[in-house]
Amino acid sequence: MPLNRRDLLRGAAAAGALGVAWPLSGGLTLAQAEEAAFALGASWDEAPFTVGVASGDPLPESVVLWTRLAPQPLAEEQPLPDTVEVEWVVATDSAFRRRVAHGTAPATAALGHSVHIAVTGLEPARRYYYRFRALGRTSRTGRTRTAPDGHVRRVRFASANCQAFHDGFYAAHRGIAQEDLDFVVHLGDYIYEHGQVGGDHVRDHEGPAVTTLPAYRRRHALYKSDPSLRAAHAAHPWFITWDDHEVVNDYSGTTPGLRARRDAGYQSWFEHMPVRPDHPTTPQVYRQRSWGDLLDLSILDLRQYRSAQNLPGGTILGGTQKAWLKDRISHAGDAWHCWVNSIMLSQLAKPGGGYYFTDQWDGFLAERREVLTHVHDTGMPDLVVITGDWHSAFVDDIRPDFDNPDAPVIGTEFTAHSISSGAYSPEWNAANGPVMGGANPHLKYFEGNRYGYDVYEVTPRRWSTHMRVIGDRRDPNSPVSTLTTFHVDRGKAGSHEDRGTRTSPAQYRRDR
Ligand SMILES: [Fe+2]
């Protein structure tokens, strides 16, 4: 019977092979950390490009190329000179006969020997191949794509979120790597900072163990030891935002006393992500991107600037980002408007009053109403919000006032399954799906027993969300299938489940 990584770890600990419950935290020797990682199925690319290659943030003429030199990926200090020159090359063919750009960049110890190349002068809507060379070695080849400009008839992209390494293998990323996609969006919880393995529920938290820059680096390198994650990065460019576990559970970036830990989490995140190299230690995560005239992306940062939850004047966006988002709403053109949103926007009220979780937008009621009322008042059409965090799939109608079921529908939120992070039990889901549906008339669909990712297929007339699920997160080669598909028609707010998949398993459906 296949085991997930947590079971493997427990088995090894019981057999006396490992002395501690979650041996990838700080305080271990390199040999101990490697022993634990290999027990969990870790493998890396050939040194020094152990953690792979990636590309991201495509613009019509530019894309970011990333790698990190880490000959000993779990070591706190890499056995490298302070600065290593890294050559990079971009070609239009995978054999690198037609080279269109190349250069060198310094990988420095100060930034974990990572490199971020913002390549410019590329052609729009074009596939490219890239690779790196350093210390006499060549990296694997990555494949990427620039954004189109002008008229676009179709875009196909995927979202991933919540990939707790100890909860399962990344069969879902293997699926993403094999999909025909223009790009991938990551919605956060790329790593988990957890110190120890705990219970089986979504929101269990054990001691905070990863707090320093070397420890966060080790954690990121561990996550990249899953070959399916590296394959998904090498296959497509990614747009990336973050959620809380890149630093610590349910944190606010403005929490006093968290500064040093936050800085360490942010810097190590930058060092491992294909993001623009403009702000390495305090990354600028929120931004606007587009895919021609078809898709307008507002990538949100719901962590760095937020206040505490449940305050009368609380903010999840922070003043500057809120003004930016409202300005984008005011000047929205004719396109699908997609908010890349790490945590649930729609209300999720409990039957007797109150909310399930106020770390999500439910803890920032006045600001949510202000932003959504602005969407309504400006008449911005065709809003689709894509969300992670919950480890279960939801489809919601978005209303400016969720307490008023007669308020107009102004958009749709698709909350995706997690890649691997543990969801609630099937028993909890079966009992609570109908309860959540009953207490939230805007909630259309809930499915919490599966893991996977969403694929969005968007044309000028229709947005389709395909929920891709894996059979078993304990199996790295688990096959991918489509659980169901919902669509939104252009100019008509509200989603509909495709006829062919309406009888698929789910714990709640509003419309039958
Ligand atoms: Fe998560």
Side-chain angles (χ1 to χ4, degrees), residues 47-82:
F49 300 102
T50 47
V51 288
V53 303
S55 71
D57 211 42
L59 298 170
E61 294 173 3
S62 171
V63 69
V64 175
L65 309 181
W66 169 91
T67 192
R68 179 180 168 228
L69 309 181
Q72 294 179 350
L74 297 183
E76 297 212 340
E77 293 266 327
Q78 293 302 315
L80 291 171
D82 205 53

PDB file of all heavy atoms in Angstrom, residues 47-82:
ATOM      1  N   ALA A  47      23.974  18.586  -9.527  1.00  0.00           N
ATOM      2  CA  ALA A  47      24.593  19.809  -9.002  1.00  0.00           C
ATOM      3  C   ALA A  47      25.317  20.550 -10.124  1.00  0.00           C
ATOM      4  O   ALA A  47      25.831  19.908 -11.037  1.00  0.00           O
ATOM      5  CB  ALA A  47      25.572  19.444  -7.889  1.00  0.00           C
ATOM      6  N   PRO A  48      25.389  21.888 -10.024  1.00  0.00           N
ATOM      7  CA  PRO A  48      24.868  22.729  -8.943  1.00  0.00           C
ATOM      8  C   PRO A  48      23.413  23.155  -9.148  1.00  0.00           C
ATOM      9  O   PRO A  48      22.892  23.880  -8.331  1.00  0.00           O
ATOM     10  CB  PRO A  48      25.785  23.959  -9.013  1.00  0.00           C
ATOM     11  CG  PRO A  48      26.055  24.113 -10.493  1.00  0.00           C
ATOM     12  CD  PRO A  48      26.135  22.698 -11.032  1.00  0.00           C
ATOM     13  N   PHE A  49      22.762  22.660 -10.244  1.00  0.00           N
ATOM     14  CA  PHE A  49      21.396  23.124 -10.544  1.00  0.00           C
ATOM     15  C   PHE A  49      20.361  22.201  -9.903  1.00  0.00           C
ATOM     16  O   PHE A  49      19.346  21.849 -10.508  1.00  0.00           O
ATOM     17  CB  PHE A  49      21.201  23.202 -12.059  1.00  0.00           C
ATOM     18  CG  PHE A  49      22.151  24.151 -12.726  1.00  0.00           C
ATOM     19  CD1 PHE A  49      23.266  23.675 -13.408  1.00  0.00           C
ATOM     20  CD2 PHE A  49      21.950  25.522 -12.658  1.00  0.00           C
ATOM     21  CE1 PHE A  49      24.150  24.546 -14.027  1.00  0.00           C
ATOM     22  CE2 PHE A  49      22.833  26.402 -13.272  1.00  0.00           C
ATOM     23  CZ  PHE A  49      23.947  25.916 -13.957  1.00  0.00           C
ATOM     24  N   THR A  50      20.622  21.797  -8.653  1.00  0.00           N
ATOM     25  CA  THR A  50      19.812  20.782  -7.978  1.00  0.00           C
ATOM     26  C   THR A  50      18.330  21.131  -7.919  1.00  0.00           C
ATOM     27  O   THR A  50      17.482  20.260  -8.040  1.00  0.00           O
ATOM     28  CB  THR A  50      20.313  20.603  -6.536  1.00  0.00           C
ATOM     29  OG1 THR A  50      20.474  21.909  -5.965  1.00  0.00           O
ATOM     30  CG2 THR A  50      21.627  19.844  -6.507  1.00  0.00           C
ATOM     31  N   VAL A  51      18.022  22.412  -7.692  1.00  0.00           N
ATOM     32  CA  VAL A  51      16.624  22.793  -7.461  1.00  0.00           C
ATOM     33  C   VAL A  51      15.915  23.197  -8.749  1.00  0.00           C
ATOM     34  O   VAL A  51      14.784  23.671  -8.724  1.00  0.00           O
ATOM     35  CB  VAL A  51      16.511  23.898  -6.389  1.00  0.00           C
ATOM     36  CG1 VAL A  51      16.825  23.323  -5.016  1.00  0.00           C
ATOM     37  CG2 VAL A  51      17.427  25.069  -6.687  1.00  0.00           C
ATOM     38  N   GLY A  52      16.581  22.973  -9.886  1.00  0.00           N
ATOM     39  CA  GLY A  52      15.905  23.109 -11.166  1.00  0.00           C
ATOM     40  C   GLY A  52      15.979  24.505 -11.759  1.00  0.00           C
ATOM     41  O   GLY A  52      16.793  25.342 -11.345  1.00  0.00           O
ATOM     42  N   VAL A  53      15.119  24.724 -12.736  1.00  0.00           N
ATOM     43  CA  VAL A  53      15.034  26.015 -13.421  1.00  0.00           C
ATOM     44  C   VAL A  53      13.568  26.420 -13.462  1.00  0.00           C
ATOM     45  O   VAL A  53      12.682  25.588 -13.291  1.00  0.00           O
ATOM     46  CB  VAL A  53      15.595  25.941 -14.862  1.00  0.00           C
ATOM     47  CG1 VAL A  53      17.042  25.458 -14.859  1.00  0.00           C
ATOM     48  CG2 VAL A  53      14.731  25.048 -15.760  1.00  0.00           C
ATOM     49  N   ALA A  54      13.332  27.704 -13.680  1.00  0.00           N
ATOM     50  CA  ALA A  54      11.950  28.180 -13.743  1.00  0.00           C
ATOM     51  C   ALA A  54      11.918  29.480 -14.539  1.00  0.00           C
ATOM     52  O   ALA A  54      12.939  30.160 -14.691  1.00  0.00           O
ATOM     53  CB  ALA A  54      11.394  28.426 -12.341  1.00  0.00           C
ATOM     54  N   SER A  55      10.714  29.810 -15.009  1.00  0.00           N
ATOM     55  CA  SER A  55      10.521  31.110 -15.657  1.00  0.00           C
ATOM     56  C   SER A  55       9.219  31.693 -15.148  1.00  0.00           C
ATOM     57  O   SER A  55       8.363  30.966 -14.641  1.00  0.00           O
ATOM     58  CB  SER A  55      10.486  30.972 -17.178  1.00  0.00           C
ATOM     59  OG  SER A  55       9.293  30.331 -17.583  1.00  0.00           O
ATOM     60  N   GLY A  56       9.099  33.016 -15.267  1.00  0.00           N
ATOM     61  CA  GLY A  56       7.897  33.623 -14.725  1.00  0.00           C
ATOM     62  C   GLY A  56       7.649  35.041 -15.171  1.00  0.00           C
ATOM     63  O   GLY A  56       8.479  35.659 -15.836  1.00  0.00           O
ATOM     64  N   ASP A  57       6.472  35.507 -14.765  1.00  0.00           N
ATOM     65  CA  ASP A  57       6.031  36.879 -14.998  1.00  0.00           C
ATOM     66  C   ASP A  57       6.167  37.298 -16.459  1.00  0.00           C
ATOM     67  O   ASP A  57       6.751  38.352 -16.754  1.00  0.00           O
ATOM     68  CB  ASP A  57       6.790  37.843 -14.080  1.00  0.00           C
ATOM     69  CG  ASP A  57       5.923  39.034 -13.712  1.00  0.00           C
ATOM     70  OD1 ASP A  57       4.726  38.823 -13.433  1.00  0.00           O
ATOM     71  OD2 ASP A  57       6.416  40.170 -13.732  1.00  0.00           O
ATOM     72  N   PRO A  58       5.618  36.519 -17.383  1.00  0.00           N
ATOM     73  CA  PRO A  58       5.762  36.879 -18.802  1.00  0.00           C
ATOM     74  C   PRO A  58       5.043  38.176 -19.163  1.00  0.00           C
ATOM     75  O   PRO A  58       3.917  38.419 -18.743  1.00  0.00           O
ATOM     76  CB  PRO A  58       5.141  35.689 -19.544  1.00  0.00           C
ATOM     77  CG  PRO A  58       4.251  35.021 -18.553  1.00  0.00           C
ATOM     78  CD  PRO A  58       4.886  35.250 -17.215  1.00  0.00           C
ATOM     79  N   LEU A  59       5.740  38.999 -19.917  1.00  0.00           N
ATOM     80  CA  LEU A  59       5.199  40.208 -20.542  1.00  0.00           C
ATOM     81  C   LEU A  59       5.315  39.984 -22.057  1.00  0.00           C
ATOM     82  O   LEU A  59       5.932  39.007 -22.492  1.00  0.00           O
ATOM     83  CB  LEU A  59       6.016  41.431 -20.117  1.00  0.00           C
ATOM     84  CG  LEU A  59       6.039  41.760 -18.620  1.00  0.00           C
ATOM     85  CD1 LEU A  59       7.076  42.848 -18.320  1.00  0.00           C
ATOM     86  CD2 LEU A  59       4.660  42.190 -18.164  1.00  0.00           C
ATOM     87  N   PRO A  60       4.791  40.879 -22.881  1.00  0.00           N
ATOM     88  CA  PRO A  60       4.899  40.642 -24.333  1.00  0.00           C
ATOM     89  C   PRO A  60       6.340  40.562 -24.844  1.00  0.00           C
ATOM     90  O   PRO A  60       6.599  39.864 -25.815  1.00  0.00           O
ATOM     91  CB  PRO A  60       4.144  41.827 -24.930  1.00  0.00           C
ATOM     92  CG  PRO A  60       3.132  42.173 -23.896  1.00  0.00           C
ATOM     93  CD  PRO A  60       3.839  41.950 -22.572  1.00  0.00           C
ATOM     94  N   GLU A  61       7.267  41.253 -24.213  1.00  0.00           N
ATOM     95  CA  GLU A  61       8.634  41.229 -24.728  1.00  0.00           C
ATOM     96  C   GLU A  61       9.655  40.740 -23.700  1.00  0.00           C
ATOM     97  O   GLU A  61      10.857  40.885 -23.897  1.00  0.00           O
ATOM     98  CB  GLU A  61       9.029  42.628 -25.210  1.00  0.00           C
ATOM     99  CG  GLU A  61       8.205  43.042 -26.410  1.00  0.00           C
ATOM    100  CD  GLU A  61       8.431  44.483 -26.811  1.00  0.00           C
ATOM    101  OE1 GLU A  61       9.271  45.155 -26.190  1.00  0.00           O
ATOM    102  OE2 GLU A  61       7.744  44.923 -27.735  1.00  0.00           O
ATOM    103  N   SER A  62       9.168  40.207 -22.599  1.00  0.00           N
ATOM    104  CA  SER A  62      10.089  39.887 -21.502  1.00  0.00           C
ATOM    105  C   SER A  62       9.568  38.715 -20.683  1.00  0.00           C
ATOM    106  O   SER A  62       8.355  38.525 -20.539  1.00  0.00           O
ATOM    107  CB  SER A  62      10.229  41.119 -20.600  1.00  0.00           C
ATOM    108  OG  SER A  62      10.946  40.812 -19.421  1.00  0.00           O
ATOM    109  N   VAL A  63      10.499  37.954 -20.146  1.00  0.00           N
ATOM    110  CA  VAL A  63      10.149  36.913 -19.186  1.00  0.00           C
ATOM    111  C   VAL A  63      11.332  36.787 -18.222  1.00  0.00           C
ATOM    112  O   VAL A  63      12.466  37.094 -18.589  1.00  0.00           O
ATOM    113  CB  VAL A  63       9.809  35.588 -19.904  1.00  0.00           C
ATOM    114  CG1 VAL A  63      11.039  34.958 -20.542  1.00  0.00           C
ATOM    115  CG2 VAL A  63       9.115  34.610 -18.978  1.00  0.00           C
ATOM    116  N   VAL A  64      11.040  36.365 -16.999  1.00  0.00           N
ATOM    117  CA  VAL A  64      12.089  36.196 -15.995  1.00  0.00           C
ATOM    118  C   VAL A  64      12.551  34.739 -16.008  1.00  0.00           C
ATOM    119  O   VAL A  64      11.724  33.822 -15.987  1.00  0.00           O
ATOM    120  CB  VAL A  64      11.563  36.562 -14.586  1.00  0.00           C
ATOM    121  CG1 VAL A  64      12.619  36.259 -13.528  1.00  0.00           C
ATOM    122  CG2 VAL A  64      11.159  38.031 -14.542  1.00  0.00           C
ATOM    123  N   LEU A  65      13.867  34.552 -16.054  1.00  0.00           N
ATOM    124  CA  LEU A  65      14.446  33.212 -15.944  1.00  0.00           C
ATOM    125  C   LEU A  65      15.090  33.077 -14.572  1.00  0.00           C
ATOM    126  O   LEU A  65      15.742  34.003 -14.094  1.00  0.00           O
ATOM    127  CB  LEU A  65      15.517  32.990 -17.015  1.00  0.00           C
ATOM    128  CG  LEU A  65      15.125  33.305 -18.453  1.00  0.00           C
ATOM    129  CD1 LEU A  65      16.300  33.006 -19.379  1.00  0.00           C
ATOM    130  CD2 LEU A  65      13.888  32.511 -18.866  1.00  0.00           C
ATOM    131  N   TRP A  66      14.924  31.903 -13.974  1.00  0.00           N
ATOM    132  CA  TRP A  66      15.411  31.703 -12.611  1.00  0.00           C
ATOM    133  C   TRP A  66      16.170  30.391 -12.484  1.00  0.00           C
ATOM    134  O   TRP A  66      15.784  29.386 -13.088  1.00  0.00           O
ATOM    135  CB  TRP A  66      14.234  31.673 -11.632  1.00  0.00           C
ATOM    136  CG  TRP A  66      14.615  31.203 -10.251  1.00  0.00           C
ATOM    137  CD1 TRP A  66      15.019  31.977  -9.211  1.00  0.00           C
ATOM    138  CD2 TRP A  66      14.649  29.848  -9.780  1.00  0.00           C
ATOM    139  NE1 TRP A  66      15.301  31.186  -8.113  1.00  0.00           N
ATOM    140  CE2 TRP A  66      15.092  29.879  -8.444  1.00  0.00           C
ATOM    141  CE3 TRP A  66      14.362  28.605 -10.369  1.00  0.00           C
ATOM    142  CZ2 TRP A  66      15.240  28.723  -7.664  1.00  0.00           C
ATOM    143  CZ3 TRP A  66      14.528  27.454  -9.606  1.00  0.00           C
ATOM    144  CH2 TRP A  66      14.952  27.526  -8.260  1.00  0.00           C
ATOM    145  N   THR A  67      17.213  30.411 -11.694  1.00  0.00           N
ATOM    146  CA  THR A  67      17.778  29.190 -11.137  1.00  0.00           C
ATOM    147  C   THR A  67      18.499  29.548  -9.843  1.00  0.00           C
ATOM    148  O   THR A  67      18.607  30.731  -9.486  1.00  0.00           O
ATOM    149  CB  THR A  67      18.719  28.453 -12.104  1.00  0.00           C
ATOM    150  OG1 THR A  67      18.997  27.142 -11.584  1.00  0.00           O
ATOM    151  CG2 THR A  67      20.031  29.196 -12.306  1.00  0.00           C
ATOM    152  N   ARG A  68      18.924  28.528  -9.140  1.00  0.00           N
ATOM    153  CA  ARG A  68      19.700  28.755  -7.921  1.00  0.00           C
ATOM    154  C   ARG A  68      20.771  27.677  -7.855  1.00  0.00           C
ATOM    155  O   ARG A  68      20.465  26.492  -8.073  1.00  0.00           O
ATOM    156  CB  ARG A  68      18.787  28.666  -6.688  1.00  0.00           C
ATOM    157  CG  ARG A  68      19.534  28.870  -5.399  1.00  0.00           C
ATOM    158  CD  ARG A  68      18.672  28.795  -4.142  1.00  0.00           C
ATOM    159  NE  ARG A  68      19.585  28.734  -3.013  1.00  0.00           N
ATOM    160  CZ  ARG A  68      19.501  27.879  -2.007  1.00  0.00           C
ATOM    161  NH1 ARG A  68      18.506  27.025  -1.933  1.00  0.00           N
ATOM    162  NH2 ARG A  68      20.416  27.871  -1.055  1.00  0.00           N
ATOM    163  N   LEU A  69      21.981  28.090  -7.577  1.00  0.00           N
ATOM    164  CA  LEU A  69      23.068  27.128  -7.422  1.00  0.00           C
ATOM    165  C   LEU A  69      23.046  26.616  -5.986  1.00  0.00           C
ATOM    166  O   LEU A  69      23.150  27.397  -5.039  1.00  0.00           O
ATOM    167  CB  LEU A  69      24.418  27.794  -7.713  1.00  0.00           C
ATOM    168  CG  LEU A  69      24.532  28.562  -9.034  1.00  0.00           C
ATOM    169  CD1 LEU A  69      25.947  29.137  -9.176  1.00  0.00           C
ATOM    170  CD2 LEU A  69      24.183  27.682 -10.217  1.00  0.00           C
ATOM    171  N   ALA A  70      22.886  25.310  -5.855  1.00  0.00           N
ATOM    172  CA  ALA A  70      22.820  24.719  -4.507  1.00  0.00           C
ATOM    173  C   ALA A  70      23.381  23.305  -4.584  1.00  0.00           C
ATOM    174  O   ALA A  70      22.632  22.332  -4.617  1.00  0.00           O
ATOM    175  CB  ALA A  70      21.381  24.712  -3.994  1.00  0.00           C
ATOM    176  N   PRO A  71      24.705  23.171  -4.624  1.00  0.00           N
ATOM    177  CA  PRO A  71      25.295  21.833  -4.740  1.00  0.00           C
ATOM    178  C   PRO A  71      24.856  20.907  -3.612  1.00  0.00           C
ATOM    179  O   PRO A  71      24.734  19.713  -3.814  1.00  0.00           O
ATOM    180  CB  PRO A  71      26.805  22.094  -4.673  1.00  0.00           C
ATOM    181  CG  PRO A  71      26.977  23.546  -4.941  1.00  0.00           C
ATOM    182  CD  PRO A  71      25.717  24.235  -4.578  1.00  0.00           C
ATOM    183  N   GLN A  72      24.629  21.473  -2.429  1.00  0.00           N
ATOM    184  CA  GLN A  72      24.101  20.690  -1.294  1.00  0.00           C
ATOM    185  C   GLN A  72      22.819  21.383  -0.840  1.00  0.00           C
ATOM    186  O   GLN A  72      22.830  22.233   0.055  1.00  0.00           O
ATOM    187  CB  GLN A  72      25.129  20.632  -0.165  1.00  0.00           C
ATOM    188  CG  GLN A  72      26.381  19.857  -0.574  1.00  0.00           C
ATOM    189  CD  GLN A  72      27.418  19.799   0.526  1.00  0.00           C
ATOM    190  OE1 GLN A  72      27.319  20.471   1.544  1.00  0.00           O
ATOM    191  NE2 GLN A  72      28.447  18.996   0.305  1.00  0.00           N
ATOM    192  N   PRO A  73      21.699  21.035  -1.469  1.00  0.00           N
ATOM    193  CA  PRO A  73      20.486  21.848  -1.286  1.00  0.00           C
ATOM    194  C   PRO A  73      20.006  21.974   0.146  1.00  0.00           C
ATOM    195  O   PRO A  73      19.370  22.968   0.488  1.00  0.00           O
ATOM    196  CB  PRO A  73      19.447  21.132  -2.164  1.00  0.00           C
ATOM    197  CG  PRO A  73      20.050  19.820  -2.533  1.00  0.00           C
ATOM    198  CD  PRO A  73      21.520  19.955  -2.449  1.00  0.00           C
ATOM    199  N   LEU A  74      20.312  21.012   0.998  1.00  0.00           N
ATOM    200  CA  LEU A  74      19.854  21.111   2.388  1.00  0.00           C
ATOM    201  C   LEU A  74      20.903  21.714   3.321  1.00  0.00           C
ATOM    202  O   LEU A  74      20.654  21.850   4.514  1.00  0.00           O
ATOM    203  CB  LEU A  74      19.430  19.733   2.903  1.00  0.00           C
ATOM    204  CG  LEU A  74      18.243  19.092   2.173  1.00  0.00           C
ATOM    205  CD1 LEU A  74      17.882  17.761   2.817  1.00  0.00           C
ATOM    206  CD2 LEU A  74      17.031  20.009   2.160  1.00  0.00           C
ATOM    207  N   ALA A  75      22.050  22.095   2.759  1.00  0.00           N
ATOM    208  CA  ALA A  75      23.092  22.686   3.605  1.00  0.00           C
ATOM    209  C   ALA A  75      22.734  24.129   3.944  1.00  0.00           C
ATOM    210  O   ALA A  75      22.143  24.841   3.133  1.00  0.00           O
ATOM    211  CB  ALA A  75      24.437  22.642   2.886  1.00  0.00           C
ATOM    212  N   GLU A  76      23.074  24.558   5.139  1.00  0.00           N
ATOM    213  CA  GLU A  76      22.791  25.943   5.519  1.00  0.00           C
ATOM    214  C   GLU A  76      23.712  26.909   4.781  1.00  0.00           C
ATOM    215  O   GLU A  76      23.345  28.039   4.511  1.00  0.00           O
ATOM    216  CB  GLU A  76      22.913  26.105   7.031  1.00  0.00           C
ATOM    217  CG  GLU A  76      21.884  25.241   7.759  1.00  0.00           C
ATOM    218  CD  GLU A  76      21.401  25.850   9.047  1.00  0.00           C
ATOM    219  OE1 GLU A  76      22.093  26.729   9.593  1.00  0.00           O
ATOM    220  OE2 GLU A  76      20.311  25.462   9.507  1.00  0.00           O
ATOM    221  N   GLU A  77      24.934  26.469   4.485  1.00  0.00           N
ATOM    222  CA  GLU A  77      25.872  27.280   3.694  1.00  0.00           C
ATOM    223  C   GLU A  77      26.261  26.453   2.483  1.00  0.00           C
ATOM    224  O   GLU A  77      26.655  25.304   2.622  1.00  0.00           O
ATOM    225  CB  GLU A  77      27.135  27.581   4.508  1.00  0.00           C
ATOM    226  CG  GLU A  77      26.931  28.487   5.701  1.00  0.00           C
ATOM    227  CD  GLU A  77      27.190  29.945   5.368  1.00  0.00           C
ATOM    228  OE1 GLU A  77      28.063  30.209   4.510  1.00  0.00           O
ATOM    229  OE2 GLU A  77      26.514  30.805   5.952  1.00  0.00           O
ATOM    230  N   GLN A  78      26.153  27.042   1.293  1.00  0.00           N
ATOM    231  CA  GLN A  78      26.541  26.300   0.093  1.00  0.00           C
ATOM    232  C   GLN A  78      28.063  26.331  -0.075  1.00  0.00           C
ATOM    233  O   GLN A  78      28.684  27.375   0.152  1.00  0.00           O
ATOM    234  CB  GLN A  78      25.858  26.900  -1.136  1.00  0.00           C
ATOM    235  CG  GLN A  78      24.354  26.713  -1.152  1.00  0.00           C
ATOM    236  CD  GLN A  78      23.949  25.243  -1.075  1.00  0.00           C
ATOM    237  OE1 GLN A  78      24.516  24.395  -1.766  1.00  0.00           O
ATOM    238  NE2 GLN A  78      22.988  24.948  -0.208  1.00  0.00           N
ATOM    239  N   PRO A  79      28.650  25.209  -0.468  1.00  0.00           N
ATOM    240  CA  PRO A  79      30.106  25.161  -0.691  1.00  0.00           C
ATOM    241  C   PRO A  79      30.460  25.824  -2.017  1.00  0.00           C
ATOM    242  O   PRO A  79      30.850  25.157  -2.972  1.00  0.00           O
ATOM    243  CB  PRO A  79      30.396  23.653  -0.695  1.00  0.00           C
ATOM    244  CG  PRO A  79      29.128  23.036  -1.196  1.00  0.00           C
ATOM    245  CD  PRO A  79      28.004  23.913  -0.708  1.00  0.00           C
ATOM    246  N   LEU A  80      30.305  27.134  -2.054  1.00  0.00           N
ATOM    247  CA  LEU A  80      30.512  27.898  -3.285  1.00  0.00           C
ATOM    248  C   LEU A  80      31.272  29.179  -2.950  1.00  0.00           C
ATOM    249  O   LEU A  80      31.167  29.682  -1.826  1.00  0.00           O
ATOM    250  CB  LEU A  80      29.161  28.302  -3.900  1.00  0.00           C
ATOM    251  CG  LEU A  80      28.283  27.208  -4.488  1.00  0.00           C
ATOM    252  CD1 LEU A  80      26.907  27.771  -4.841  1.00  0.00           C
ATOM    253  CD2 LEU A  80      28.937  26.580  -5.723  1.00  0.00           C
ATOM    254  N   PRO A  81      31.975  29.741  -3.939  1.00  0.00           N
ATOM    255  CA  PRO A  81      32.548  31.077  -3.734  1.00  0.00           C
ATOM    256  C   PRO A  81      31.436  32.102  -3.493  1.00  0.00           C
ATOM    257  O   PRO A  81      30.267  31.847  -3.785  1.00  0.00           O
ATOM    258  CB  PRO A  81      33.260  31.375  -5.053  1.00  0.00           C
ATOM    259  CG  PRO A  81      33.352  30.076  -5.771  1.00  0.00           C
ATOM    260  CD  PRO A  81      32.258  29.194  -5.261  1.00  0.00           C
ATOM    261  N   ASP A  82      31.808  33.255  -2.994  1.00  0.00           N
ATOM    262  CA  ASP A  82      30.826  34.302  -2.708  1.00  0.00           C
ATOM    263  C   ASP A  82      30.031  34.689  -3.959  1.00  0.00           C
ATOM    264  O   ASP A  82      28.834  34.929  -3.881  1.00  0.00           O
ATOM    265  CB  ASP A  82      31.558  35.524  -2.141  1.00  0.00           C
ATOM    266  CG  ASP A  82      30.623  36.349  -1.295  1.00  0.00           C
ATOM    267  OD1 ASP A  82      30.006  35.765  -0.380  1.00  0.00           O
ATOM    268  OD2 ASP A  82      30.474  37.548  -1.582  1.00  0.00           O
TER     269      ASP A  82
END
